[in-house]
Amino acid sequence: MTYYTTRRRLFAFASSAALLGALMSAGAQIQAATFDQSRGARAAQHATFTPSPVLTSQHFWDELAVEPRDAWSQLRDSFQWQDELDEPRVQAWIDHYRQSPHNIAEITERARPWLAWIIQKVEERGLPGEIALIPFIESSFDPSARSHRGAAGLWQFMPRTGDSLGLSRQRGYDGRLDVVASTYAALDYIEYQADQWYEGDLELSLAAYNAGAGTVNKARRRALARGRSGDYWSLSLPRETMNYVPKLKAIAAIIASPEEYQVTLPAIEHAPAFAKIPVERPLRLDEAARLAGVSKGTIAELNPGVTGGTVLPGNDRVLLVPAARADAMLARLDTPVAPGGTQDSRYLVQRGDTLAEIAALQGISVAELRQANGLSGNLIRPGQTLELPTRSLASR
C-alpha cells in the first residue's frame, strides 16, 4: 500500500530544521529519534511498516513559549483528505452537523480517554488522520455501544467479524469492547482489505468495512462494466455506505476548523490518557482500583472489555489505568507481601472524591482514614495524597 505521509513528514522535517537553524545557537543540537512500534499479528495478512524519523525538539519549543501541542493539533496535522471536500455528499453532511454543534462537542468529549492513543496508532501506520474518527460515526466514541444488529464496541464489530480478527468472546470478557484490542483489529482490517481488494484504496476499504467486501466488490464490477472509474464515488451502494466516507470527511472538516462551525472541542492532551499494565495473575477490578489509587468506576470505564469484574492473564491481556497512576500501581504489584506482613498504600484524591467514599472503597472507616492522615475533619482536595492504614493479609 502507498501512502503519502512519509513525503509530508520529510517536507515538515526539512522546514522545521531550517527554522531551528535560524533560531538556535551554533552549539545547540537537534536529536532525531526513531521508533519501531510492534503491531502484533494481523488477522489474515502480515505487513511491515517502518515509521519515518521524527523530530524531537519539544523542549526547545516549550522554551519559546509556543502554544503546546494537543491531540487536536496532532490530528489536524495528520489529515490527508481535506482537499476533497467539494463533493456534494460531504457538503450535505457538513451542513447537517453544523446545525447541531453541541452533538459534536458531546461526542468529542466522550472521546477524551481514547483519542490521543488512537491518533498515535493511526499515525504510526501512515494512515490518514481521518481514520481516527471512525469511532465517531460507528459508536459516538462509546466503547460499550451495542447495535440492534449485534455489533459492539468502539469500532462496532459484528460477532463473526470479531472472531475472525481474534477478538475473543468468553465468559467475563468481550474483545470487541476492549479498546486496545479492537483498535488494532480495526486498523489491521482496514489495511488488509485495501491491500487485498482495492490496490491500497482506503475509501473503498472503508466502504467494505461498513457494507462488507462482497457488496462493494459487486458494485465495483457493475461500475467498471459501465465505463466508470470504479472508485468509491462512482459506486452505487446501500444508502448507509454511500454516506459513510462523506460523514467521516465532514466530521474531519469541522474538527479542522472548529471556530468556523462554532464548535467547542474539549481540551485533550497530546499524550495518551491511559497506560497498559500487564496482567500476570487474576486481578479483580476493585483490587486494581485500590492498587492504582482510583475509584473502581474509573478502572471499569477504561476496561469495558472486562465484563465479569476480573482481568485474567493470557492472550497478552492488559489492564488500562490512568497514565498518572501507572507507576504507583506497578510498584505495588511488584512489592511482595510476606505472610502476616503489611503493605503500605496511598490514595491520590480525585476531583469529586469524599472522605467517606474513599474509606468505603478501601474497606476502612472514616475515623481510621482521618487518624492515618492527621485530619480533624472531612476536608480533602484534588491532588492530595492520603496514607491508607496498613492491613495484614489475614485481615483482607
Side-chain angles (χ1 to χ4, degrees):
M1 187 187 311
T2 300
Y3 302 114
Y4 299 96
T5 300
T6 301
R7 190 180 308 167
R8 293 173 58 201
R9 285 180 176 169
L10 288 174
F11 176 79
F13 181 91
S15 300
S16 300
L19 179 59
L20 289 171
L23 294 174
M24 298 177 67
S25 64
Q29 296 182 350
I30 302 173
Q31 295 182 337
T34 59
F35 60 87
D36 182 13
Q37 175 67 36
S38 173
R39 296 188 27 224
R42 294 181 62 169
Q45 178 177 337
H46 294 272
T48 301
F49 291 82
T50 304
S52 56
V54 294
L55 188 65
T56 57
S57 56
Q58 187 62 47
H59 294 303
F60 173 73
W61 289 115
D62 288 344
E63 290 175 2
L64 286 183
V66 174
E67 183 179 351
R69 186 171 172 81
D70 62 3
W72 300 115
S73 62
Q74 182 184 10
L75 181 59
R76 293 181 190 109
D77 288 346
S78 66
F79 283 160
Q80 297 181 27
W81 290 338
Q82 292 305 291
D83 58 345
E84 304 174 359
L85 303 180
D86 55 349
E87 214 284 336
R89 275 180 276 170
V90 177
Q91 287 298 318
W93 278 103
I94 289 176
D95 292 340
H96 171 82
Y97 286 125
R98 73 189 307 173
Q99 293 175 10
S100 303
H102 60 281
N103 288 338
I104 291 181
E106 289 174 4
I107 296 173
T108 51
E109 174 64 36
R110 199 176 295 127
R112 182 188 295 276
W114 318 113
L115 187 64
W117 182 80
I118 292 174
I119 292 171
Q120 186 182 86
K121 299 301 116 180
V122 168
E123 192 175 58
E124 284 171 4
R125 296 173 183 236
L127 295 168
E130 287 86 350
I131 287 178
L133 296 173
I134 288 175
F136 192 108
I137 57 178
E138 285 288 351
S139 63
S140 297
F141 267 105
D142 179 1
S144 298
R146 295 181 182 271
S147 77
H148 67 280
R149 293 181 297 180
L154 210 64
W155 300 88
Q156 287 291 282
F157 281 115
M158 295 292 287
R160 289 181 62 183
T161 305
D163 292 344
S164 70
L165 293 170
L167 298 175
S168 64
R169 292 174 294 130
Q170 51 193 269
R171 185 175 182 180
Y173 177 77
D174 189 336
R176 298 175 302 160
L177 305 179
D178 184 320
V179 172
V180 169
S182 64
T183 297
Y184 283 129
L187 300 183
D188 284 344
Y189 192 38
I190 291 167
E191 288 185 320
Y192 168 72
Q193 290 195 128
D195 286 340
Q196 180 74 12
W197 303 109
Y198 310 120
E199 298 82 42
D201 190 321
L202 288 169
E203 291 182 345
L204 288 173
S205 182
L206 292 182
Y209 185 93
N210 178 252
T215 298
V216 175
N217 294 348
K218 185 182 297 183
R220 195 177 185 216
R221 287 194 295 270
R222 288 198 302 265
L224 291 171
R226 295 171 182 171
R228 297 180 181 175
S229 65
D231 68 357
Y232 171 82
W233 304 98
S234 71
L235 303 188
S236 178
L237 295 162
R239 180 177 179 181
E240 180 180 308
T241 312
M242 294 283 281
N243 287 307
Y244 194 82
V245 174
K247 278 184 180 181
L248 187 64
K249 292 190 176 186
I251 295 162
I254 292 171
I255 288 175
S257 303
E259 299 86 359
E260 178 181 350
Y261 300 103
Q262 299 180 329
V263 171
T264 301
L265 300 175
I268 300 180
E269 293 183 4
H270 172 258
F274 61 82
K276 293 181 282 187
I277 303 294
V279 177
E280 299 176 354
R281 63 173 176 84
L283 186 64
R284 298 191 319 275
L285 292 186
D286 55 355
E287 181 186 2
R290 179 180 60 79
L291 292 169
V294 298
S295 69
K296 182 181 177 181
T298 297
I299 293 294
E301 288 174 4
L302 287 175
N303 297 274
V306 181
T307 58
T310 299
V311 187
L312 300 175
N315 299 322
D316 297 322
R317 198 68 51 78
V318 296
L319 177 82
L320 303 188
V321 302
R325 303 303 304 158
D327 289 343
M329 182 171 184
L330 283 171
R332 290 170 187 165
L333 283 171
D334 291 341
T335 302
V337 181
T342 62
Q343 181 180 38
D344 292 334
S345 186
R346 294 188 176 121
Y347 181 89
L348 181 67
V349 177
Q350 310 291 309
R351 186 177 300 278
D353 280 346
T354 67
L355 210 60
E357 290 173 345
I358 296 170
L361 177 67
Q362 304 300 328
I364 57 179
S365 69
V366 173
E368 288 177 304
L369 194 54
R370 284 201 200 103
Q371 183 178 4
N373 292 275
L375 301 175
S376 58
N378 294 329
L379 182 62
I380 52 176
R381 63 183 184 280
Q384 179 180 355
T385 299
L386 296 178
E387 299 288 339
L388 301 177
T390 57
R391 293 291 185 92
S392 70
L393 287 180
S395 64
R396 292 183 181 177

